[in-house]
Amino acid sequence: MALSTDEGQFLNMLLKLINAKNTMEIGVYTDYSLFATALAFPQDGKILALDINRWNYELGLLVIQKAGVAHKIEFKEGPVMPVLDELVKDVNVSPTPSIWFL
């Protein structure tokens, strides 16, 4: 539920090792893992962040914006299953090894 500093650094290292460019975060809570992921990604990396409550996302948004990584994040508010159902229907979405569920 809450990522520690060590776990954030480990996540950052793993994402860089596998050269990840796309992830999905289900439930953003305090945004720390979202922030760690965005920092690890190249400038063209993308994160789809899903949460039922926009307040959870906005909690850490100021730090994300100050770090200059907000452009890497697409946030969607609402129940996760309808969003995932839409992604499955999208013909442009195909599973790749760089997609992680965190």
Side-chain angles (χ1 to χ4, degrees):
M1 187 160 102
L3 198 68
S4 73
T5 305
D6 292 341
E7 291 169 323
Q9 290 174 351
F10 182 66
L11 174 63
N12 186 298
M13 181 186 69
L14 285 176
L15 292 169
K16 287 179 179 178
L17 283 171
I18 66 168
N19 197 28
K21 288 187 176 186
N22 297 295
T23 62
M24 179 183 301
E25 182 154 336
I26 299 174
V28 297
Y29 190 51
T30 62
D31 291 339
Y32 184 64
S33 61
L34 186 61
F35 181 61
T37 301
L39 286 175
F41 275 6
Q43 287 300 314
D44 62 341
K46 295 290 176 196
I47 306 163
L48 176 59
L50 308 168
D51 201 291
I52 198 150
N53 187 343
R54 178 168 281 281
W55 183 83
N56 291 337
Y57 172 65
E58 291 175 352
L59 185 65
L61 187 56
L62 184 60
V63 173
I64 288 170
Q65 290 170 335
K66 283 186 177 184
V69 294
H71 67 281
K72 299 177 186 180
I73 302 167
E74 177 186 354
F75 177 77
K76 293 191 182 231
E77 180 182 16
V80 172
M81 290 310 294
V83 174
L84 294 178
D85 288 341
E86 285 301 312
L87 286 175
V88 170
K89 289 178 188 175
D90 187 352
V91 295
N92 295 324
V93 175
S94 62
T96 66
S98 65
I99 295 178
W100 284 32
F101 292 92
L102 305 173

